[in-house]
Amino acid sequence: MDMAADIASDHFISRRVDIGRITLNVREKGSGPLMLFFHGITSNSAVFEPLMIRLSDRFTTIAVDQRGHGLSDKPETGYEANDYADDIAGLIRTLARGHAILVGHSLGARNSVTAAAKYPDLVRSVVAIDFTPYIETEALDALEARVNAGSQLFEDIKAVEAYLAGRYPNIPADAIRIRAESGYQPVDGGLRPLASSAAMAQTARGLRSDLVPAYRDVTKPVLIVRGESSKLVSAAALAKTSRLRPDLPVVVVPGADHYVNEVSPEITLKAITNFIDA
Amino acid sequence: MDMAADIASDHFISRRVDIGRITLNVREKGSGPLMLFFHGITSNSAVFEPLMIRLSDRFTTIAVDQRGHGLSDKPETGYEANDYADDIAGLIRTLARGHAILVGHSLGARNSVTAAAKYPDLVRSVVAIDFTPYIETEALDALEARVNAGSQLFEDIKAVEAYLAGRYPNIPADAIRIRAESGYQPVDGGLRPLASSAAMAQTARGLRSDLVPAYRDVTKPVLIVRGESSKLVSAAALAKTSRLRPDLPVVVVPGADHYVNEVSPEITLKAITNFIDA
């Protein structure tokens, strides 16, 4: 069953939440312990809907458009790890539903581990998908180039989908459609990404900051998930991360590249529930 | 702090529990969710005391002398995976304290995963330490030879400790002392292992049975723990196991051989709590 295909039949509550320091757009579904989802750079909360549908029978699932992305506020500056992590803390406090399980992909994983290390009382545990310390410079260079190239005008949704399919060759068509339908806004002459290009450029630079302290100091459980053929997190970067924290469990998803939760949603879902249900 | 050193100061309740099909000796400490511990071949429940002390503030920790071992019954036959797994199910039912977290080392890991696959309603999750499918024949041959060589007469406890220190060069002295003081009984002329040699021979042969079905079919969360320099579970055996079940989290403990929980108790403890607390 293609997890992304059954989105249409389900209802998500989207709203903007003022957490004081910023207003963030969120999508919510389900009830139970609080599970928050944080997307990768340039993306938005919609990419997690397929997982949220499957988890919302047992969890309050809330996916967040992080600052500078989607329908959230886009301040001029403030796109470092701490800025994103402080937003997470502010949101958890504003929601006032107890500590949260944080599921983050890429940028979202970096931000979730940073928040867990900084605010242990607000975080129950973290599923950190495909972002670790020790990422090689070349990988970050390539990511930065892709990010900056994405900020362009597209004629229509078909053109967006074609571009995204080229940029993410392993992401299935349904998940590409989610990205296309949720991540772009009508402008004169066509469609442009919702994400602010200035914010994305700052964020991409910020991804180079040293993540070792956060991984070294985090006291909450963190599940480290890597796509076996990820071009961002190399096997060497993962091995060094495990040497830094041999007590943290690891899942390596065969056949998945950097976009693990979109390329292999079933294994990602099982990895999350194996971790949370233990 | 050497975890094994502070045993003397703590009190464990030892008793024999009749589960109908057999009577098993157990050690208990603490209160909270039920966490059961299952030792490796020829060993006994005492080896887990250091971990139990640290976990007993939050869990009812019960370590079990498995059939043929320690102070438990030693039937003539019945030392296959299912025999051991059925004992686990019988014990959980007899204890009547809800489903259990199973922490098993080696033989105990094999038995715990088998029980979890066969009795999912009785098991919450499994921490399987250094026993996976796909163990190479040579490794099992070497294990069987060591097991059969252990059944001998020792002059005194010092002789036992010297033998065990030679057989397990990486296990710290305090943990060796626990094994020596808990695993042997006075006989004419000295000390002999409590474990029945006939039972150990049958058990060692039984460790060759195919564990793939249990790992393939288990629906409960299983944390796979391997000693980085284990001579029993090779890196290749672990890789094949992860390919069989990519959704199951893995922890590889650097500097540990097969006897992970005795050689690296701190990382083992953190790996368990990271898994259980997520």
Side-chain angles (χ1 to χ4, degrees):
Chain A
M1 187 205 73
D2 180 337
M3 207 187 276
D6 63 3
I7 299 290
S9 64
D10 278 277
H11 180 62
F12 287 80
I13 303 161
S14 280
R15 68 185 193 287
R16 282 170 48 92
V17 177
D18 180 355
I19 67 172
R21 56 186 272 115
I22 192 168
T23 295
L24 299 172
N25 184 67
V26 303
R27 297 164 199 261
E28 176 170 351
K29 183 172 172 55
S31 60
L34 184 59
M35 185 181 280
L36 301 178
F37 295 78
F38 301 95
H39 55 75
I41 189 169
T42 75
S43 182
N44 73 82
S45 54
V47 300
F48 287 113
E49 286 190 355
L51 283 178
M52 293 166 75
I53 288 171
R54 299 282 293 275
L55 291 160
S56 53
D57 59 336
R58 298 197 295 138
F59 297 92
T60 297
T61 66
I62 297 180
V64 183
D65 288 345
Q66 296 177 92
R67 60 171 48 212
H69 295 78
L71 301 174
S72 289
D73 285 358
K74 300 177 175 67
E76 290 291 316
T77 60
Y79 291 96
E80 296 299 323
N82 277 327
D83 301 308
Y84 281 106
D86 293 348
D87 287 352
I88 292 176
L91 178 64
I92 295 171
R93 289 195 185 105
T94 303
L95 293 170
R97 298 192 216 177
H99 63 185
I101 297 160
L102 310 182
V103 180
H105 170 247
S106 196
L107 168 70
R110 190 282 305 266
N111 298 342
S112 298
V113 172
T114 305
K118 208 174 169 184
Y119 304 99
D121 299 341
L122 299 178
V123 176
R124 169 174 152 175
S125 55
V126 177
V127 176
I129 304 171
D130 222 73
F131 201 96
T132 63
Y134 311 112
I135 293 177
E136 288 82 0
T137 307
E138 307 74 46
L140 291 168
D141 293 344
L143 176 67
E144 190 160 0
R146 282 199 307 275
V147 164
N148 294 331
S151 183
Q152 53 180 286
L153 181 69
F154 295 90
E155 192 183 336
D156 55 26
I157 194 99
K158 283 299 162 214
V160 173
E161 285 193 42
Y163 166 73
L164 292 174
R167 178 166 161 181
Y168 308 113
N170 299 316
I171 295 183
D174 290 309
I176 288 285
R177 186 163 309 116
I178 288 174
R179 278 186 175 240
E181 288 171 357
S182 62
Y184 293 76
Q185 59 187 331
V187 296
D188 289 346
L191 294 168
R192 274 198 169 280
L194 278 166
S196 138
S197 56
M200 295 309 99
Q202 292 175 66
T203 298
R205 279 197 301 277
L207 285 174
R208 296 174 189 272
S209 57
D210 186 7
L211 192 52
V212 166
Y215 265 80
R216 183 194 58 219
D217 300 340
V218 65
T219 55
K220 309 310 288 190
V222 176
L223 173 65
I224 302 172
V225 179
R226 174 179 173 258
E228 193 176 47
S229 49
S230 172
K231 292 203 181 77
L232 188 69
V233 178
S234 64
L238 177 62
K240 279 188 216 161
T241 303
S242 284
R243 198 149 291 274
L244 177 69
R245 288 298 303 270
D247 58 300
L248 296 181
V250 172
V251 161
V252 176
V253 180
D257 60 8
H258 176 56
Y259 305 94
V260 185
N261 45 291
E262 292 168 276
V263 172
S264 304
E266 292 293 343
I267 295 179
T268 303
L269 177 68
K270 272 296 289 170
I272 291 173
T273 51
N274 280 333
F275 182 57
I276 299 303
D277 290 346
Chain B
M1 186 205 76
D2 180 338
M3 208 185 276
D6 63 2
I7 300 291
S9 65
D10 279 278
H11 180 63
F12 286 80
I13 302 160
S14 279
R15 71 185 192 286
R16 281 168 52 89
V17 178
D18 180 355
I19 67 171
R21 54 187 273 113
I22 192 169
T23 295
L24 299 173
N25 185 67
V26 303
R27 295 162 200 259
E28 177 170 350
K29 183 172 171 57
S31 61
L34 184 59
M35 185 181 279
L36 302 178
F37 295 79
F38 301 95
H39 55 75
I41 189 168
T42 77
S43 182
N44 73 83
S45 54
V47 300
F48 287 113
E49 285 191 354
L51 284 178
M52 293 166 74
I53 288 172
R54 299 283 292 276
L55 292 160
S56 54
D57 59 336
R58 298 195 295 138
F59 297 93
T60 298
T61 66
I62 296 179
V64 183
D65 289 345
Q66 295 177 94
R67 60 171 50 211
H69 295 78
L71 301 175
S72 289
D73 285 359
K74 300 176 176 67
E76 292 289 319
T77 60
Y79 292 95
E80 296 299 324
N82 277 326
D83 300 307
Y84 281 107
D86 294 347
D87 287 353
I88 292 176
L91 178 64
I92 294 171
R93 289 195 185 103
T94 303
L95 293 171
R97 299 191 216 176
H99 63 186
I101 298 161
L102 309 182
V103 179
H105 169 246
S106 196
L107 168 71
R110 191 281 306 264
N111 299 342
S112 298
V113 173
T114 305
K118 207 172 169 185
Y119 303 98
D121 297 340
L122 299 177
V123 176
R124 171 174 152 175
S125 55
V126 177
V127 176
I129 304 172
D130 221 75
F131 201 95
T132 63
Y134 311 112
I135 293 177
E136 288 82 1
T137 307
E138 309 75 49
L140 292 169
D141 293 345
L143 175 66
E144 190 162 359
R146 283 198 306 274
V147 164
N148 295 330
S151 182
Q152 53 180 285
L153 180 67
F154 296 90
E155 194 184 334
D156 55 26
I157 193 105
K158 283 298 162 210
V160 172
E161 286 192 41
Y163 166 74
L164 292 174
R167 179 167 161 179
Y168 308 113
N170 298 316
I171 295 183
D174 290 311
I176 288 286
R177 188 163 310 115
I178 290 175
R179 278 185 176 243
E181 288 170 356
S182 62
Y184 292 77
Q185 58 188 332
V187 297
D188 289 346
L191 293 169
R192 275 196 170 281
L194 279 165
S196 139
S197 55
M200 295 308 98
Q202 292 175 68
T203 299
R205 281 198 301 277
L207 285 175
R208 298 173 187 272
S209 57
D210 186 6
L211 193 51
V212 166
Y215 265 79
R216 183 193 59 219
D217 301 340
V218 64
T219 55
K220 309 309 287 188
V222 175
L223 174 66
I224 302 172
V225 179
R226 175 180 173 257
E228 192 177 46
S229 48
S230 171
K231 293 205 180 75
L232 187 69
V233 177
S234 64
L238 177 62
K240 279 187 217 161
T241 303
S242 284
R243 198 149 291 276
L244 176 70
R245 288 297 303 269
D247 58 302
L248 296 180
V250 171
V251 162
V252 176
V253 180
D257 60 7
H258 175 55
Y259 304 93
V260 184
N261 43 292
E262 293 168 279
V263 172
S264 303
E266 291 293 343
I267 296 179
T268 304
L269 176 68
K270 273 296 289 169
I272 292 172
T273 52
N274 280 332
F275 182 56
I276 299 304
D277 290 346

